[in-house]
Amino acid sequence: MLHYLEMEDKVTSPEKAEEAKLKARYPHLGQKPGGSDFLRKRLQKGQKYFDSGDYNMAKAKMKNKQLPTAAPDKTEVTGDHIPTPQDLPQRKPSLVASKLAG
Amino acid sequence: MAISRGLAGRTVPEAADIISTVEFNHTGELLATGDKGGRVVIFQREPESKNAPHSQGEYDVYSTFQSHEPEFDYLKSLEIEEKINKIKWLPQQNAAHSLLSTNDKTIKLWKITERDKRPEGYNLKDEEGKLKDLSTVTSLQVPVLKPMDLMVEVSPRRVFANGHTYHINSISVNSDCETYMSADDLRINLWHLAITDRSFNIVDIKPANMEDLTEVITASEFHPHHCNLFVYSSSKGSLRLCDMRAAALCDKHSKLFEEPEDPSNRSFFSEIISSVSDVKFSHSGRYMLTRDYLTVKVWDLNMEARPIETYQVHDYLRSKLCSLYENDCIFDKFECAWNGSDSVIMTGAYNNFFRMFDRNTKRDVTLEASRESSKPRAVLKPRRVCVGGKRRRDDISVDSLDFTKKILHTAWHPAENIIAIAATNNLYIFQDKVNSEMH
């Protein structure tokens, strides 16, 4: 009887073994993966934040070359140098909590 | 077996070139692809040459156009991708061809026409279109239509905008040829092909409180013959068949298709891998085909309790779910397809592999879509993934599968054994020369 119970513990499905691996790496992972947090992140796909006012100002300045502009400082990101939406890095919402937070 | 013809892409794929949808038209004469850059490319099958009757028509580029452009929703600070999510052909009703293409937010109706004649011999204008000196005109002539080089013209006839708050995942033309539906994560709308300023909402699963959200719509399709029936699939693995005659708002399903889950087998991944990524009615209209992360399933419309057939696509991934969750591959949305006689089903997998299952013989095969493995006119060789244990010479081990090479989009010619496979930025068209009629 005891022997049979020991066998049960060792034979876990590959899926459950993978789940154990995941929980070991991310102990704070929520219990319900299909829950609303996951779905709401999915619904927010494609969200990029940028200031449309600054973007339009920058576009207007590029057209009108006579305006004095400061020498482009590659490290500074203000005013004329607001990145265009195409330049924005993709903000992928991370589902798994950062290891630093763990 | 099958003979291939690969169409080249760049060696380092540009994001815009990634093919995002593939669709044959109703006769199979035309094949449309959409890509991440918002472009549509249409291929046409060359008519069979009388001199070489065994050399069946191959597909050449017929037309290409920019369907969607990137947009910004300033109010919500949202970028709207130009990526073409789906293309659906309208049944051909005259000399022109029409198709619907959609990105996340806007559906467009495109009309494709051919021009092979032009009028010549105008009275007031010369050949270049410049006005003639009227003193040189001494007699009147009737302009005559003369043949010219074929020109394919594409024009946007309708733009169906502002119908969706969330991202459109499916469109489906009704068999009535007058209406079509579009589905996003939470809602399905019914449109008339001629009316762009309004649509009817027929399914709405948005909860009053978004924190109560438990499932989203993943795909939907109209029944091929019954214009009142449609199906939609969910992220929880269920299918709902709805009848538009029953109510204006089809929130209550007519039939719910769900496979009971074994509670002892439940894991963190169960719900994610049960999410249905694609649903397709059979040509007969009697069955439905669904794809979830690890299997394809055939459902009988007359039986809601469970699928009648289940085929394992790549069960060996079950022991890799942890890393597939970390690299997001577990959320990949694979499509599935029926052949013309509903006897064989096909779906894509990783490493540029795709799988076919014969429903009658119960045999299955794994094939590869890659430049190295398929020279033009070469016969495709079956591949095998080994899971440890005995390993044959050409087997690939699970650990050396390339998960960046995914075949998400596949299409089968409506009548013949011709398939179109999208492998990232490359399109492969395979033809079965030996058995060209379906059997």
Side-chain angles (χ1 to χ4, degrees):
Chain A
M1 178 76 163
L2 265 172
H3 182 66
Y4 173 71
L5 285 173
E6 278 172 35
M7 286 283 287
E8 277 268 288
D9 284 343
K10 291 205 172 90
V11 179
T12 41
S13 73
E15 229 177 281
K16 291 240 171 87
E18 289 294 296
E19 179 177 9
K21 225 193 281 181
L22 193 70
K23 292 233 160 103
R25 284 188 208 175
Y26 310 105
H28 297 293
L29 199 57
Q31 278 306 325
K32 285 176 99 183
S36 57
D37 285 342
F38 159 61
L39 287 173
R40 270 189 292 161
K41 286 224 165 74
R42 181 179 167 151
L43 296 180
Q44 275 170 17
K45 171 185 79 132
Q47 200 142 26
K48 283 188 178 178
Y49 293 98
F50 75 108
D51 188 319
S52 61
D54 282 333
Y55 169 62
N56 283 307
M57 292 276 283
K59 259 193 7 183
K61 283 207 173 126
M62 284 197 284
K63 278 189 196 153
N64 193 350
K65 294 270 155 71
Q66 277 123 12
L67 278 177
T69 52
D73 185 347
K74 293 264 158 47
T75 56
E76 224 177 313
V77 181
T78 57
D80 311 338
H81 318 299
I82 287 285
T84 58
Q86 287 91 332
D87 300 336
L88 274 180
Q90 273 264 297
R91 252 197 79 209
K92 189 174 88 117
S94 56
L95 202 48
V96 178
S98 161
K99 290 179 185 140
L100 293 171
Chain B
M1 253 287 203
I3 297 179
S4 76
R5 177 166 177 244
L7 293 159
R10 299 156 85 123
T11 43
V12 178
E14 266 209 14
D17 293 332
I18 295 172
I19 300 169
S20 48
T21 188
V22 188
E23 188 83 4
F24 281 100
N25 76 336
H26 295 277
T27 60
E29 184 211 349
L30 298 176
L31 174 67
T33 61
D35 66 21
K36 205 154 184 267
R39 297 161 303 195
V40 172
V41 182
I42 302 176
F43 299 88
Q44 183 187 44
R45 193 176 185 198
E46 294 307 311
E48 288 181 35
S49 151
K50 291 206 174 70
N51 300 327
H54 293 298
S55 139
Q56 269 146 337
E58 293 187 341
Y59 285 83
D60 290 323
V61 178
Y62 177 67
S63 171
T64 178
F65 58 96
Q66 186 78 36
S67 171
H68 286 72
E69 302 267 2
E71 285 173 56
F72 293 97
D73 181 339
Y74 294 125
L75 242 93
K76 297 178 190 169
S77 275
L78 275 178
E79 184 202 39
I80 301 169
E81 262 193 303
E82 67 274 30
K83 172 168 76 87
I84 308 295
N85 292 336
K86 282 283 180 314
I87 290 173
K88 285 280 155 49
W89 290 92
L90 267 55
Q92 193 177 7
Q93 288 173 329
N94 49 42
H97 291 101
S98 301
L99 59 79
L100 288 171
S101 68
T102 186
N103 68 349
D104 282 338
K105 294 287 184 180
T106 305
I107 307 130
K108 293 186 185 180
L109 175 66
W110 294 91
K111 192 161 169 192
I112 302 130
T113 47
E114 288 184 2
R115 192 195 289 259
D116 62 355
K117 297 184 198 43
R118 67 152 184 254
E120 277 178 23
Y122 282 105
N123 289 292
L124 298 177
K125 288 191 260 185
D126 66 16
E127 293 311 309
E128 278 103 60
K130 288 202 309 238
L131 284 172
K132 279 186 191 170
D133 179 357
L134 288 179
S135 58
T136 63
V137 178
T138 50
S139 60
L140 282 178
Q141 55 181 347
V142 179
V144 183
L145 286 175
K146 292 259 172 77
M148 58 177 261
D149 286 338
L150 180 67
M151 220 166 71
V152 180
E153 297 172 329
V154 182
S155 62
R157 300 303 276 221
R158 307 260 192 275
V159 177
F160 304 91
N162 304 316
H164 289 275
T165 309
Y166 304 100
H167 296 298
I168 298 173
N169 53 54
S170 322
I171 48 174
S172 178
V173 184
N174 200 341
S175 52
D176 67 10
C177 303
E178 283 189 358
T179 57
Y180 76 94
M181 67 152 130
S182 56
D184 66 30
D185 290 312
L186 296 178
R187 298 192 178 102
I188 301 180
N189 293 333
L190 182 72
W191 304 81
H192 191 286
L193 284 164
I195 299 170
T196 57
D197 62 353
R198 73 196 105 106
S199 68
F200 288 101
N201 177 244
I202 53 176
V203 173
D204 188 339
I205 65 168
K206 185 177 182 201
N209 185 350
M210 279 300 265
E211 292 191 352
D212 298 333
L213 183 65
T214 56
E215 75 186 309
V216 294
I217 298 167
T218 51
S220 73
E221 198 183 47
F222 266 120
H223 191 279
H225 312 308
H226 302 301
C227 58
N228 55 298
L229 290 179
F230 66 92
V231 69
Y232 70 90
S233 59
S234 85
S235 52
K236 277 186 157 175
S238 62
L239 296 172
R240 283 174 175 80
L241 187 73
C242 301
D243 188 337
M244 294 197 294
R245 296 171 304 187
L249 193 57
C250 298
D251 281 359
K252 263 178 76 177
H253 54 264
S254 295
K255 289 196 180 187
L256 172 63
F257 299 82
E258 217 169 19
E259 185 164 26
E261 194 190 9
D262 181 359
S264 63
N265 271 342
R266 193 171 167 78
S267 77
F268 177 85
F269 305 109
S270 299
E271 196 175 297
I272 302 174
I273 63 173
S274 71
S275 175
V276 173
S277 50
D278 193 16
V279 62
K280 293 264 170 48
F281 277 104
S282 63
H283 291 88
S284 64
R286 167 90 191 261
Y287 304 103
M288 295 180 294
L289 180 66
T290 58
R291 174 68 153 99
D292 51 62
Y293 192 61
L294 298 177
T295 71
V296 278
K297 295 181 167 140
V298 178
W299 302 77
D300 186 328
L301 250 66
N302 298 319
M303 185 160 83
E304 298 165 69
R306 73 188 72 80
I308 56 168
E309 293 156 34
T310 301
Y311 300 95
Q312 301 294 332
V313 179
H314 39 203
D315 197 59
Y316 45 77
L317 294 184
R318 217 175 274 270
S319 53
K320 300 272 170 218
L321 290 176
C322 180
S323 41
L324 291 168
Y325 179 87
E326 288 178 298
N327 61 20
D328 276 356
C329 283
I330 204 175
F331 301 109
D332 284 337
K333 300 194 181 78
F334 292 94
E335 290 171 9
C336 52
W338 297 90
N339 74 337
S341 60
D342 299 335
S343 58
V344 183
I345 54 191
M346 166 172 75
T347 188
Y350 293 107
N351 210 71
N352 281 344
F353 287 170
F354 58 99
R355 305 261 286 134
M356 289 200 209
F357 303 90
D358 189 318
R359 295 178 60 214
N360 300 322
T361 66
K362 299 301 179 199
R363 286 190 359 221
D364 62 84
V365 70
T366 304
L367 299 168
E368 183 176 355
S370 73
R371 218 82 69 85
E372 298 77 37
S373 75
S374 45
K375 304 279 180 338
R377 309 244 170 281
V379 171
L380 279 181
K381 196 181 61 172
R383 307 308 310 267
R384 214 173 82 109
V385 178
C386 74
V387 222
K390 263 212 286 221
R391 203 197 142 166
R392 289 187 224 153
R393 192 163 38 113
D394 289 323
D395 284 1
I396 313 275
S397 85
V398 184
D399 296 307
S400 41
L401 288 175
D402 188 342
F403 290 98
T404 62
K405 294 192 177 153
K406 33 194 125 188
I407 293 184
L408 304 173
H409 312 289
T410 59
W412 205 308
H413 189 285
E416 298 185 36
N417 279 352
I418 303 172
I419 55 177
I421 309 282
T424 316
N425 60 323
N426 288 314
L427 177 72
Y428 291 85
I429 300 174
F430 298 112
Q431 304 195 30
D432 189 353
K433 296 269 175 152
V434 176
N435 303 307
S436 57
E437 287 115 52
M438 56 199 192
H439 49 91

